[in-house]
C-alpha cells in the first residue's frame, strides 16, 4: 500500500500536482456502496494500518520534497456507513460505534502526519459533516491535535441547503467556518458570503485567520511561496512517467492484490505447455476498464501502456500456444447472441479462461447498486460453457464484492482480480501460470445475498446466537445462512500451510506487561508460497458487549516447499483495549481467547489467557 502510494506521489509531483484527494479511509460493511472500491474494507484494524501506510507513501520523507504530495484523509467521518449503502445518504450511529469502528483509521492518518482532511457529504446523527463541530474541531483539531487544514467535499457546504440544515448558502458558510471547515471546495459559499459575515460580526475574523493560517502553513511547507512552479518540470515529468521501475512495481502491486477463491481441481497453475487456450468474456480485451473508476479519461491519454488480459496472455505464451477469443456476451445486456461462438471456442480449447464481472464504472462514487449479483447473462454463459466439459478458470473483475452463488457452488476455479491497473494483463498471466503464487486476502466479507447486508465478521454475539442449533427462536434467517459466501481474510494459495505449536509465554498478564505468542507455519504443498497469518482476539466478558473476534495483528511470510518458520506476536494492553461505556479507551481485567488462522472463518490455533489488574 505504501509503495503504490509512493509511486503515485512521485509521478503526480513530477507532473505539477502537489495535493491528492486520497487516501479514502472510510470503513464500510456494505458492498452495495460503490465507493468500497476506494477503501480498505470492513475492518478497523486493517483500515488503520492501510491509512497510515498510504499517508506515508504519498507524503514521503517530508512535504516540500519534489517527490511528495499532500495526502488528504477522507471522508470525515463515517461516510462508509450511509444508510442502505446509498451514496451521500444519512449516517445514524452511536458514539461508541463511531469511535470504535469508523474514527480509528482517521486517527491513524493524523498519526502518520496527514497534511489535510476532507469532510464528508453525509449528515452524522442529523448534523451535516461540513458543519459538524464535534468531529472537525472537538475531535480532529482539539483532541487529536491536527495541524493541517480541512477541505469540504465537492460543494458539500452549499449542499447543506438541500439537507434542510441551512436556509441559504450564507447561513451554510457561517455554520461551516464556525465548525472548523477551513476551505470551501466548489461550494462558493465562502467566496460569496464570508466577507459579509465578518462585517456583520457573525463570524469572528480570528476564525477566518485561523483557517487561512492552516492553509498558508501547508503552502509554505510545500515551498510554493519560494517557487510557485517548483513542481513543474517537463524533464522530471518525462523521466518519472516513463520510469521502468514504476512499471515493475505496478505489476507487483497487481499480483499481490489478486485473490484465489477456489482451485478445487488444481487446474491452476496452468501448464506453459498448454497448446490451445480459449479466452472468453467481455473483459478479455478491455484496456480502460483495468484502471477502475478514479482514473484519467483515456480519450485524452495514450492507452497503449495499459496491458489487457489478452495482451498479457500473448506476452506470456508467445507463439507456442494458440489463443482463441470470443466475447460471449456483454456485461449488462441480456443478449445471448455470442453464446454459440463462445461455446465453439471452448470446444476447440484445452482450457478456457472466462473473464467476467462488472463494468469499471459500476462501482465508484454515485455507483451504489441494490443488486450486486453478476450483471446481465454472464452467469448463464458460464452454465453453457460448463456443459462443454472443458476446464474453466473464472476471472471476476470488479470494484466491490459481488454475489455469484451458482458460480461459486459449481465452478472449481475462481480468481478475483478486482481492477488491477496498467499491468493487469501481465499480473493475471503471471498468476495463471504460477510465476506468481497468489497470496491476497479478502478485505471484505462476500454476502450470499443482498438481504444479509450489512455483513461483517466482527459482529457482536446476541442473547440467542445462531449457533444454538436446538433453538428455533434465534438470530438467524429462515431462508439463508448467516455466514458470508467468502469470509473476511480469506484467500487461497497454490500451496497449503500447516499451523502448529502455538505457545504463549505466560497465561496471565498485567496492564504493564506483555505476552509473547509464537506459532510454527509449514508449507505442506508443492509450491513456494506466501501466507498471511492472522491473529484474532475475543474479550470474553466485558462492561459492554464485544465482537465475537477482532483482527489484532497479522504477518505475511514466504515459505519454500517443506519449509517451516516460527512467527511471533506480542500481546500488550493496547491490543486488549476498547472504548468502554464511558467512551474511555482502556482494557478491562478478564479472560481473552486468542485465535490464529488463515481467515476470520478458518481459525487453526486457539488459546486462553487472562488480563489481571
Amino acid at each position: 500500500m505504501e509503495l503504490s502510494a509512493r509511486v503515485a506521489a512521485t509521478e503526480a509531483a513530477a507532473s505539477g500536482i502537489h495535493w491528492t484527494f486520497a487516501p479514502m479511509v472510510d470503513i464500510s460493511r456494505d458492498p452495495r456502496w460503490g465507493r468500497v472500491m476506494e477503501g480498505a474494507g470492513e475492518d478497523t484494524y486493517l483500515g488503520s494500518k492501510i491509512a497510515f501506510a498510504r499517508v506515508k507513501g504519498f507524503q514521503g520523507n517530508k512535504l516540500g520534497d519534489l517527490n511528495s504530495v499532500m495526502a488528504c484523509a477522507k471522508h470525515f467521518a463515517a461516510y462508509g456507513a450511509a444508510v442502505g449503502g446509498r451514496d451521500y445518504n444519512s449516517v445514524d450511529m452511536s458514539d461508541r460505534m463511531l469511535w470504535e469502528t469508523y474514527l480509528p483509521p482517521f486517527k491513524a492518518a493524523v498519526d502518520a502526519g496527514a497534511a489535510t482532511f476532507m469532510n464528508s457529504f453525509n449528515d452524522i446523527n442529523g448534523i451535516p459533516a461540513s458543519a459538524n463541530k464535534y468531529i472537525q474541531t472537538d475531535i480532529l483539531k482539539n483532541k487529536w491535535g491536527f495541524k493541517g487544514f480541512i477541505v469540504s467535499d465537492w460543494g458539500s457546504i452549499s449542499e447543506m441547503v438541500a439537507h434542510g440544515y441551512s436556509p441559504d448558502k450564507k447561513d451554510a458558510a457561517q455554520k461551516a467556518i464556525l465548525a472548523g471547515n477551513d476551505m470551501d471546495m466548489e461550494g462558493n459559499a465562502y467566496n460569496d458570503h464570508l466577507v459579509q459575515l465578518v462585517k456583520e460580526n457573525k463570524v469572528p475574523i480570528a476564525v477566518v485567520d485561523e483557517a487561512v493560517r492552516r492553509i498558508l502553513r501547508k503552502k509554505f511547507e510545500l515551498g510554493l511561496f519560494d517557487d510557485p512552479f517548483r513542481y513543474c518540470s517537463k524533464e522530471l515529468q518525462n523521466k518519472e512517467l516513463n520510469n521502468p521501475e514504476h512499471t515493475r512495481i505496478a505489476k507487483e502491486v497487481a499480483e499481490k492484490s489478486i485473490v484465489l477463491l477456489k482451485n478445487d481441481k488444481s487446474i491452476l497453475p496452468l501448464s506453459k505447455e498448454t497448446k490451445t487456450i480459449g479466452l472468453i468474456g467481455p473483459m478479455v480485451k478491455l484496456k480502460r476498464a483495468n484502471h477502475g473508476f478514479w482514473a484519467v479519461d483515456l480519450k485524452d491519454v495514450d492507452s497503449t501502456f495499459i496491458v489487457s488480459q489478452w495482451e498479457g496472455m500473448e506476452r506470456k505464451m508467445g507463439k507456442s500456444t494458440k489463443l482463441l477469443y470470443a466475447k460471449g456476451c456483454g456485461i449488462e445486456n441480456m443478449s445471448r447472441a455470442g453464446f454459440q461462438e463462445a461455446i465453439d471456442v471452448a470446444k476447440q480449447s484445452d482450457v478456457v479462461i472466462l473473464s467476467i464481472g462488472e463494468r469499471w464504472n459500476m462501482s465508484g462514487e454515485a455507483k451504489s447498486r441494490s443488486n450486486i449479483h453478476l450483471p446481465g447473462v454472464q452467469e448463464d454463459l458460464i452454465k453453457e460453457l460448463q456443459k462443454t466439459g472443458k476446464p474453466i478458470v473464472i476471472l471476476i473483475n470488479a470494484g466491490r464484492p459481488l454475489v455469484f452463488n451458482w458460480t461459486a457452488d459449481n465452478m472449481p476455479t475462481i480468481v478475483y482480480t478486482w481492477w488491477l491497473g496498467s499491468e493487469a494483463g501481465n499480473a493475471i498471466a503471471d498468476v495463471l501460470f504460477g510465476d506468481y503464487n497468489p497470496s491476497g486476502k479478502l478485505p471484505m466479507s462476500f454476502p450470499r445475498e443482498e438481504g444479509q447486508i450489512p455483513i461483517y465478521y466482527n459482529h457482536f454475539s446476541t442473547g440467542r446466537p445462531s449457533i444454538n442449533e436446538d433453538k428455533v427462536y434465534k438470530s438467524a434467517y429462515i431462508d439463508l445462512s448467516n455466514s458470508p459466501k467468502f469470509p473476511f481474510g480469506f484467500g487461497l494459495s497454490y500451496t497449503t500451510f500447516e499451523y502448529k505449536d502455538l505457545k504463549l509465554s505466560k497465561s496471565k498478564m498485567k496492564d504493564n506487561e506483555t505476552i509473547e505468542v509464537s506459532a510454527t507455519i509449514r508449507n505442506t504443498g508443492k509450491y513456494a508460497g506466501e501466507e498471511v497469518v492472522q491473529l484474532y482476539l475475543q474479550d470474553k466478558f466485558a462492561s459492554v458487549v464485544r465482537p465475537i473476534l477482532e483482527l489484532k495483528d497479522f504477518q505475511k511470510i514466504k515459505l519454500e516447499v517443506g519449509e517451516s518458520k516460527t512467527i511471533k506476536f506480542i500481546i500488550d494492553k493496547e491490543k486488549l483495549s476498547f472504548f468502554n461505556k464511558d467512551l474511555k479507551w482502556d482494557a478491562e481485567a478478564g479472560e481473552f481467547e486468542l485465535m490464529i488462522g488463515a481467515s476470520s472463518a478458518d481459525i487453526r490455533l486457539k488459546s486462553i489467557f487472562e488480563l489481571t489488574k
Side-chain angles (χ1 to χ4, degrees):
M1 292 292 181
E2 182 173 346
L3 182 61
S4 63
R6 186 87 292 274
V7 170
T10 300
E11 294 189 354
S15 303
I17 298 167
H18 38 75
W19 187 19
T20 180
F21 290 157
M24 192 198 91
V25 302
D26 296 305
I27 297 300
S28 183
R29 297 164 165 181
D30 192 335
R32 294 173 300 179
W33 189 50
R35 300 197 78 168
V36 300
M37 55 84 67
E38 296 177 64
E42 72 187 48
D43 183 69
T44 301
Y45 177 81
L46 177 63
S48 299
K49 292 292 186 184
I50 290 174
F52 190 95
R54 294 190 72 199
V55 169
K56 286 294 186 183
F58 285 130
Q59 297 190 171
N61 292 327
K62 66 180 180 69
L63 292 184
D65 286 351
L66 290 180
N67 62 357
S68 171
V69 299
M70 291 197 303
C72 184
K74 65 181 190 182
H75 305 83
F76 198 59
Y79 186 38
V83 173
R86 196 171 75 245
D87 217 346
Y88 317 123
N89 204 10
S90 297
V91 168
D92 189 13
M93 67 169 58
S94 67
D95 268 356
R96 175 172 294 104
M97 183 69 73
L98 182 68
W99 279 94
E100 189 162 279
T101 301
Y102 293 92
L103 289 183
F106 291 100
K107 178 59 164 61
V110 172
D111 293 342
T116 68
F117 264 54
M118 181 188 294
N119 58 38
S120 50
F121 287 114
N122 55 279
D123 70 86
I124 304 172
N125 299 334
I127 309 296
S130 301
N132 199 307
K133 179 177 178 291
Y134 176 60
I135 64 167
Q136 294 181 111
T137 297
D138 298 351
I139 296 175
L140 180 58
K141 292 180 176 180
N142 292 344
K143 187 175 181 64
W144 292 349
F146 175 64
K147 302 302 181 185
F149 67 87
I150 302 173
V151 61
S152 75
D153 208 335
W154 186 285
S156 65
I157 294 176
S158 60
E159 288 172 12
M160 288 195 290
V161 177
H163 270 283
Y165 189 71
S166 292
D168 51 43
K169 287 205 299 183
K170 183 178 180 181
D171 182 74
Q174 178 181 340
K175 288 175 176 174
I177 193 75
L178 292 177
N181 189 136
D182 301 301
M183 182 184 285
D184 175 8
M185 176 170 59
E186 290 294 328
N188 290 315
Y190 287 5
N191 239 16
D192 296 345
H193 300 292
L194 205 49
V195 170
Q196 189 62 32
L197 286 166
V198 172
K199 289 179 179 179
E200 294 173 1
N201 295 318
K202 292 181 177 178
V203 173
I205 189 63
V207 172
V208 179
D209 287 345
E210 172 62 16
V212 171
R213 185 179 295 114
R214 286 174 175 270
I215 295 164
L216 293 184
R217 184 183 295 122
K218 294 306 169 188
K219 290 191 174 186
F220 275 114
E221 290 175 11
L222 290 168
L224 295 177
F225 287 102
D226 297 322
D227 178 6
F229 302 105
R230 66 192 305 268
Y231 288 90
C232 303
S233 166
K234 199 68 178 176
E235 181 182 355
L236 184 59
Q237 181 185 33
N238 288 336
K239 174 188 173 185
E240 295 299 356
L241 293 185
N242 294 286
N243 188 334
E245 178 65 5
H246 293 178
T247 302
R248 184 196 68 77
I249 291 170
K251 187 173 79 154
E252 176 188 327
V253 169
E255 289 170 345
K256 289 180 177 179
S257 300
I258 292 170
V259 182
L260 180 63
L261 294 182
K262 287 187 74 177
N263 195 26
D264 288 355
K265 296 182 179 179
S266 298
I267 294 173
L268 295 178
L270 299 174
S271 167
K272 292 179 182 175
E273 304 302 316
T274 306
K275 296 300 182 184
T276 306
I277 298 175
L279 290 166
I280 299 173
M283 309 295 188
V284 171
K285 291 193 174 183
L286 296 183
K287 283 180 167 283
R288 163 64 181 88
N290 294 299
H291 273 190
F293 185 79
W294 285 123
V296 175
D297 192 334
L298 291 177
K299 69 177 183 291
D300 301 319
V301 176
D302 176 12
S303 64
T304 57
F305 68 93
I306 301 175
V307 183
S308 69
Q309 294 168 22
W310 175 265
E311 291 168 333
M313 293 295 290
E314 279 189 320
R315 296 180 187 183
K316 177 65 66 177
M317 304 308 294
K319 299 188 182 302
S320 62
T321 298
K322 184 177 182 181
L323 299 181
L324 303 177
Y325 169 72
K327 184 177 179 181
C329 65
I331 296 170
E332 284 186 278
N333 67 51
M334 304 303 291
S335 173
R336 300 166 182 256
F339 276 27
Q340 190 57 52
E341 181 188 14
I343 292 168
D344 292 342
V345 164
K347 288 179 177 179
Q348 298 173 58
S349 305
D350 298 315
V351 64
V352 172
I353 298 170
L354 179 59
S355 188
I356 57 173
E358 62 177 3
R359 252 192 358 262
W360 64 268
N361 56 356
M362 290 176 78
S363 60
E365 184 173 350
K367 303 300 179 186
S368 300
R369 293 177 59 197
S370 64
N371 180 342
I372 58 171
H373 282 65
L374 274 173
V377 294
Q378 294 179 97
E379 203 155 45
D380 291 337
L381 177 62
I382 297 172
K383 293 176 182 178
E384 293 303 314
L385 294 177
Q386 186 204 41
K387 295 175 184 176
T388 67
K390 297 290 185 174
I392 300 174
V393 176
I394 306 291
L395 305 180
I396 300 181
N397 308 253
R400 58 157 58 85
L402 294 176
V403 174
F404 44 95
N405 290 322
W406 188 93
T407 300
D409 292 339
N410 293 280
M411 303 305 292
T413 312
I414 305 173
V415 180
Y416 220 82
T417 68
W418 313 100
W419 297 116
L420 294 174
S422 54
E423 284 290 299
N426 289 333
I428 290 170
D430 277 357
V431 166
L432 292 180
F433 287 94
D435 292 323
Y436 181 82
N437 189 346
S439 60
K441 301 284 188 175
L442 296 179
M444 289 189 76
S445 303
F446 277 46
R448 298 172 184 272
E449 297 288 349
E450 292 86 357
Q452 291 179 302
I453 297 170
I455 184 169
Y456 47 97
Y457 82 94
N458 52 344
H459 57 83
F460 298 142
S461 185
T462 72
R464 296 191 173 191
S466 61
I467 56 174
N468 286 352
E469 298 296 338
D470 58 330
K471 282 191 177 182
V472 173
Y473 297 101
K474 58 187 177 182
S475 181
Y477 301 105
I478 63 172
D479 59 349
L480 187 68
S481 167
N482 282 20
S483 66
K485 194 67 177 178
F486 296 101
F488 172 83
F490 177 79
L492 301 175
S493 168
Y494 294 150
T495 194
T496 54
F497 300 96
E498 177 188 55
Y499 289 56
K500 61 180 182 180
D501 297 335
L502 175 63
K503 296 177 182 177
L504 278 64
S505 60
K506 53 190 173 186
S507 61
K508 294 184 179 182
M509 62 174 278
K510 294 182 179 179
D511 275 358
N512 60 348
E513 297 177 334
T514 62
I515 294 176
E516 182 180 275
V517 178
S518 65
T520 300
I521 315 300
R522 179 170 175 261
N523 184 340
T524 54
K526 299 178 181 179
Y527 302 93
E530 295 170 295
E531 173 71 326
V532 181
V533 182
Q534 302 162 44
L535 182 146
Y536 296 87
L537 294 176
Q538 183 191 21
D539 191 337
K540 301 290 286 184
F541 304 97
S543 59
V544 295
V545 293
R546 304 301 305 139
I548 61 168
L549 74 170
E550 298 176 90
L551 181 69
K552 289 295 183 178
D553 210 339
F554 58 88
Q555 289 186 37
K556 188 173 188 177
I557 58 172
K558 184 173 183 178
L559 297 172
E560 299 299 323
V561 175
E563 183 182 7
S564 297
K565 282 185 181 177
T566 297
I567 61 171
K568 295 181 179 180
F569 297 101
I570 298 296
I571 305 296
D572 57 13
K573 180 185 177 182
E574 183 69 14
K575 282 187 169 62
L576 308 181
S577 296
F578 62 95
F579 288 99
N580 63 21
K581 61 184 176 62
D582 300 316
L583 287 184
K584 179 183 177 184
W585 182 253
D586 199 8
E588 296 179 352
E591 191 176 72
F592 291 80
E593 184 168 17
L594 180 146
M595 295 159 273
I596 293 178
S599 81
S600 60
D602 184 10
I603 301 301
R604 310 284 183 88
L605 303 169
K606 290 184 178 183
S607 187
I608 297 289
F609 67 92
E610 185 180 353
L611 175 67
T612 61
K613 292 289 188 178

